[in-house]
Amino acid sequence: MNPLLKDVLKLNKVGPKSKEALNALGIHRVCDLLHYYPRTYETVEAITDIDKLKLNEQAYIKGIIASSVNVLRLSGRVMVQCTIEDDTGRIKLMFFNQPYIKNALHQGDKVIIKGKYIIKNNRKMISAPSIIKEKEYEKLQKIQLKPIYPLSKSLKLKQLTGYVEQSLEIMKFDIDDYLPSNIRKQLNLASLSFAYEKIHYPLTRENLEIARRRLIFDEFFLFQIAMKGIKEQIRRSDNEFYIKKHIRVKGFISELPFKLTDAQNKAIENIFEDFQSNYTMTRLVQGDVGSGKTIIATIALLNTALSGYQGAFMAPTEVLAKQHFHALNSQLGAYGVKVDILIGGTTKKQKEIIYEQLRLGEIDIIIGTHALIQEKVSFANLALVITDEQHRFGVMQREALVNKGRYPHTLVMSATPIPRTLALIVYGDLDISIVDELPIGRKKIETYLVDSSYHERLYKFIIKEVKAGHNVYVVCPMVEDGEDDNGLLSVESYIDVLREVLPSNIIVEKLHGRMKSKEKTLVVEKFLTYETQVLVSTTVIEVGVNVPNATLMIIENAERFGLAQLHQLRGRVGRSDIQSFCVMVSDTKNSDTRKKLKFLKEHEDGFALAEYDLKTRGPGDAFGIHQHGMPFFKLADLYEDINLLEEARKLSIHYEMNDSLQTQLELLYYQLNTDIGL
Ligand code: ADP
Ligand code: MG
């Protein structure tokens, strides 16, 4: 096995605990560390002379310990103090609650320290400095740009950096550049090992750009190669499942509590035509949030089941899978169709039963998450595969599910409104049905943008909505405090506040990706049945969750989310004919960000938002694709990097698969068998 594909446990200093912390960040294999790119880079400051220190600023000082190192005890606190001296002066160092410093530092030691220069009780000092070993400083000096990674509470930068370094070491020996040097030269691309090394440790900005260029190219190229594989497999295959429109489907539609929109009818017609065409269906149903895509899938699945075949419906989160299961199970039961659900949280025993029933064809419609693509799953006669919120999956995942059948029809559904030209690249040559109509009776969601001084009023707003019998969502960017140093609001601390300020008969619960599957399900169910009225959540609820009774969505630190995400979040309310509200809370002063938020406030149409995004090209915010879209376009921006995309596409057309290319595909598609962490 390629060492890069091995579990992170194989690395030095990774134990069960740090493995867990890494997994929570989506890092499972050694190569995932290579692809865990820095969030930003810090420049290492030079050494400051003591006489040039600026008050209340951090600085590096290099000098000699010029006094003895003393331990003081002051009102229960242990302090260690000593004096550092360089050619320009001397200053006191004050360490708090670190008695061991006494043994680590000695008069006459040459040291480098980093700390803040303050004046306290008229005395100048460096408060709470850290001591930097000579070796470490040398290393820092060599790195002009120090990588800063997104971290969690249980994983420190130093640890992660250590792991990344190990992965780079392994990479140097075990990577085989699939692109021959003549092609690299022609396209002006760096080698793969250079790119991985420099994306983590760039010596210069120029290095960084060169590294990025290669990795962006790879993202596009490998993506297209993967697409090509799928297209060849599916596209040209003859229709193995000729499915006629079943007589009972008409009855099902007429018994729905609502009338289908013209756009929904059109999409359904498209699907029925595909079912009866010469080729296997590969269709994308694209429709804005709330346009009613689920019922389209339901009808396609019902028709398939009634015709004696099996259908599979894959959702990106367990919450969404459960929701679909409950809906389909209750709607289709009367038609003698057996519906079941398979997710990570399904018990082992239950799983075995389901595997057996799928293999024997006893289950007609299976709904699930990535659990559906596990090796053990096999079908009797799988004729239709549907993936919901397609942009949340990797291509490989869809392929894996499709491979469970013998050229089944595939339908992918997405709320991401991307321009058609881009859709062609992102989705290949799928046929597209656009659901460009919302069910009648929907009211415009009133959207507000406020700053954090409105919190008191927001709490009152929550109470008002709950008193009217409605549900309320609050979305925070973080799970717990301290994951980020920007003072962002977290689910954990917000829930404490709400429980404090809201009357005790209003039940507040939380939802985030780190909770167990069972807990998540329970929380959503209670929210749906109004046992819980307020849900404080991360963006876990962003996709697909349907609680029509919810009327208020509060988005904290709205500046942190992209337009697409905000639009999706807002789409969690306004799912019935009750007036709904969305309040974005942000203190940002950044004028571009404010403009973006204001645009969202004034527009509700996903396509208008996409266009705005395209025009303004907010960094890293290309609508629906960059951040929240294709999970493996980590560096690439479909709009900014369109030229590279074109180069990659051209090269991919006639490119032959070989071993090192195959390996590289495996290295990059890290989500293949792991939950994407929602
Ligand atoms: P999305 O397109 O975002 O997946 P859903 O399929 O979850 O939207 O539908 C949102 C809500 O609208 C659901 O409660 C669904 O039952 C309802 N709905 C779907 N189609 C119609 C329609 N034609 N008329 C009224 N309500 C509808
Ligand atoms: Mg949906």
Side-chain angles (χ1 to χ4, degrees), residues 256-262 264 285-298 320 323-324 327 331 388-389 413-415 435 437-442 543-548 568 571-572 574-576:
L256 285 173
F258 46 74
K259 196 166 162 289
L260 293 174
T261 62
D262 289 346
Q264 284 171 321
V285 172
Q286 191 178 286
D288 215 338
V289 277
S291 61
K293 295 182 291 295
T294 314
I295 195 68
I296 298 172
T298 308
L320 194 51
Q323 178 183 299
H324 286 333
Q331 284 173 300
D388 194 11
E389 304 294 347
M413 307 204 298
S414 176
V435 190
E437 207 180 333
L438 290 181
I440 34 173
R442 291 287 160 80
V543 286
V545 172
N546 186 34
V547 179
Q568 279 275 349
R572 292 315 109 214
R575 300 190 140 244
S576 70

Side-chain angles (χ1 to χ4, degrees), residues 375-416:
E375 243 169 64
K376 284 189 176 165
V377 179
S378 68
F379 292 84
N381 54 2
L382 180 65
L384 173 63
V385 166
I386 304 184
T387 44
D388 194 11
E389 304 294 347
Q390 167 63 26
H391 54 282
R392 281 297 190 131
F393 289 104
V395 179
M396 307 293 262
Q397 291 169 323
R398 194 175 89 216
E399 182 184 29
L401 184 52
V402 166
N403 284 341
K404 298 279 181 194
R406 224 174 137 250
Y407 306 118
H409 296 294
T410 61
L411 188 66
V412 303
M413 307 204 298
S414 176
T416 307

Side-chain angles (χ1 to χ4, degrees), residues 222-234:
L222 296 169
F223 175 74
Q224 314 237 1
I225 288 285
M227 283 304 280
K228 201 170 86 166
I230 293 170
K231 274 190 249 174
E232 273 163 12
Q233 255 185 20
I234 305 171

Side-chain angles (χ1 to χ4, degrees), residues 631-650:
F632 38 76
F633 287 163
K634 291 181 156 185
L635 294 171
D637 181 313
L638 274 174
Y639 300 120
E640 293 280 354
D641 303 315
I642 196 116
N643 292 334
L644 262 184
L645 172 59
E646 192 49 33
E647 299 272 14
R649 196 188 62 80
K650 269 193 270 172

Side-chain angles (χ1 to χ4, degrees), residues 122-264:
N122 277 329
R123 289 172 53 171
K124 297 176 180 177
M125 65 174 85
I126 303 288
S127 153
S130 45
I131 303 169
I132 296 165
K133 291 188 195 119
E134 187 83 28
K135 230 169 105 188
E136 209 173 303
Y137 188 77
E138 269 170 29
K139 218 163 98 188
L140 281 178
Q141 269 188 320
K142 264 192 243 150
I143 311 165
Q144 299 277 330
L145 298 165
K146 184 182 170 201
I148 306 294
Y149 298 91
L151 295 167
S152 64
K153 214 174 182 179
S154 38
L155 200 69
K156 301 269 168 295
L157 183 62
K158 211 165 161 183
Q159 262 177 303
L160 185 74
T161 312
Y163 302 148
V164 170
E165 277 169 20
Q166 289 185 57
S167 75
L168 285 170
E169 234 9 80
I170 297 172
M171 181 276 300
K172 274 187 217 152
F173 289 101
D174 289 290
I175 205 135
D176 195 6
D177 200 332
Y178 68 88
L179 273 185
S181 58
N182 60 332
I183 292 183
R184 294 205 305 262
K185 226 181 196 154
Q186 200 185 322
L187 295 174
N188 196 15
L189 294 169
S191 74
L192 204 46
S193 58
F194 179 92
Y196 280 133
E197 165 125 20
K198 298 301 183 229
I199 195 80
H200 292 284
Y201 290 103
L203 288 175
T204 58
R205 292 270 164 206
E206 197 190 355
N207 269 181
L208 185 59
E209 274 324 300
I210 296 171
R212 281 177 56 90
R213 183 178 161 84
R214 169 65 204 260
L215 295 173
I216 290 173
F217 180 88
D218 273 33
E219 287 184 353
F220 285 144
F221 182 75
L222 296 169
F223 175 74
Q224 314 237 1
I225 288 285
M227 283 304 280
K228 201 170 86 166
I230 293 170
K231 274 190 249 174
E232 273 163 12
Q233 255 185 20
I234 305 171
R235 186 66 186 175
R236 279 184 233 110
S237 53
D238 293 336
N239 187 353
E240 301 268 342
F241 301 98
Y242 186 85
I243 302 174
K244 280 207 208 127
K245 189 167 173 177
H246 197 277
I247 186 112
R248 294 183 70 194
V249 166
K250 212 174 160 187
F252 175 79
I253 293 175
S254 69
E255 277 165 29
L256 285 173
F258 46 74
K259 196 166 162 289
L260 293 174
T261 62
D262 289 346
Q264 284 171 321

